[in-house]
Amino acid sequence: MKILIAVSALLMAVVSTGCSQNFLAKPGETEWAPASPTPAQPAAATAGAIFQANHNLNLFLDHRARQVGDTLTIALVERTEASKQASTDTDRSTNIEMLPPSILGGTVTINGRQILSTDISASSDFAGQGKSSQSNRLSGNITVTVYEVLANGNLRVRGEKWLTLNQGQEFIRVSGTIRPVDLAPDNSVPSYKLADARITYSGTGVIDEANSMGWLARLFQSVLSPL
């Protein structure tokens, strides 16, 4: 009876611990946490001047991102198309004929048949053809956070967006480096101006599992696939 009570208490502790965790959190994904802005140090007050050091008068400042913790919008404009076609055709033939040598003014024969004459012929033919094509397209908008300002002023950004659907979850993640001069007045930048871009679009749930090959099928495919 005591053993049953202990096992039940352990199961309840595990369930309560699992329910208290964020359902989106996964091991090794803490780097996607949003960056917080660095607290500004209060400036020393100076008296006797028109503009005080502790007053922030940004008369010509726009709202584009420029420091850690600021947000900006990335317009996903990704479209790639690739096509490749190759064809090979080879043909080779070889023919070697050796006349019978003469010994003492005559050919060597056995039962009237020449035995030292040689005739060799060989031929080979090869034909191969291959064709491959691929097309991808991704469009939308995602707001990301500046998590580092480089020495040259470029901004390193990252962010993610999760959508919870009826049968699962879908997420998109974007990271990379942008130049502040590429930011539009509305604080947005197209994705093709994102350097070292990493764009991931995937999902979880029953729909994603239905589109994935089972582990047993993957095992047989890896064993039976040609080297």
Side-chain angles (χ1 to χ4, degrees):
M1 186 64 179
K2 294 182 178 180
I3 297 177
L4 182 59
I5 295 176
V7 173
S8 301
L10 180 60
L11 291 176
M12 292 179 62
V14 171
V15 171
S16 61
T17 302
C19 294
S20 62
Q21 295 179 352
N22 188 351
F23 70 97
L24 298 181
K26 294 181 180 181
E29 294 184 351
T30 56
E31 69 274 9
W32 289 98
S36 301
T38 304
Q41 298 295 330
T46 57
I50 298 177
F51 299 101
Q52 300 294 330
N54 56 350
H55 289 178
N56 188 12
L57 298 177
N58 297 320
L59 300 180
F60 305 99
L61 182 64
D62 57 20
H63 297 284
R64 286 179 288 190
R66 59 175 44 86
Q67 60 186 1
V68 175
D70 291 348
T71 60
L72 57 95
T73 301
I74 296 180
L76 299 175
V77 188
E78 297 295 327
R79 184 173 182 177
T80 58
E81 293 183 1
S83 178
K84 182 179 180 181
Q85 184 174 1
S87 178
T88 304
D89 190 2
T90 61
D91 188 6
R92 173 184 292 182
S93 62
T94 303
N95 189 10
I96 300 176
E97 183 177 359
M98 182 181 296
L99 298 176
S102 299
I103 299 177
L104 298 178
T107 59
V108 180
T109 60
I110 296 179
N111 296 329
R113 182 180 180 183
Q114 297 178 357
I115 62 173
L116 297 180
S117 61
T118 303
D119 188 4
I120 302 175
S121 62
S123 62
S124 63
D125 189 7
F126 171 78
Q129 185 175 3
K131 183 178 181 181
S132 176
S133 61
Q134 184 176 359
S135 177
N136 299 285
R137 184 176 181 180
L138 180 64
S139 61
N141 296 311
I142 180 174
T143 300
V144 296
T145 307
V146 178
Y147 71 93
E148 184 180 359
V149 180
L150 302 180
N152 59 356
N154 290 345
L155 308 177
R156 299 185 66 181
V157 298
R158 67 187 175 200
E160 62 179 355
K161 179 189 292 186
W162 284 79
L163 300 175
T164 302
L165 307 177
N166 293 334
Q167 300 296 331
Q169 302 168 3
E170 293 184 0
F171 68 90
I172 181 171
R173 289 172 173 169
V174 179
S175 65
T177 305
I178 65 171
R179 301 187 307 167
V181 296
D182 292 332
L183 285 172
D186 61 348
N187 197 35
S188 64
V189 61
S191 59
Y192 56 80
K193 291 187 177 181
L194 189 64
D196 300 327
R198 299 292 186 271
I199 302 175
T200 303
Y201 179 75
S202 184
T204 61
V206 294
I207 298 179
D208 180 70
E209 294 175 356
N211 291 328
S212 301
M213 186 180 298
W215 64 269
L216 186 60
R218 293 197 303 268
L219 175 63
F220 281 105
Q221 186 180 25
S222 62
V223 173
L224 301 177
S225 60
L227 298 177

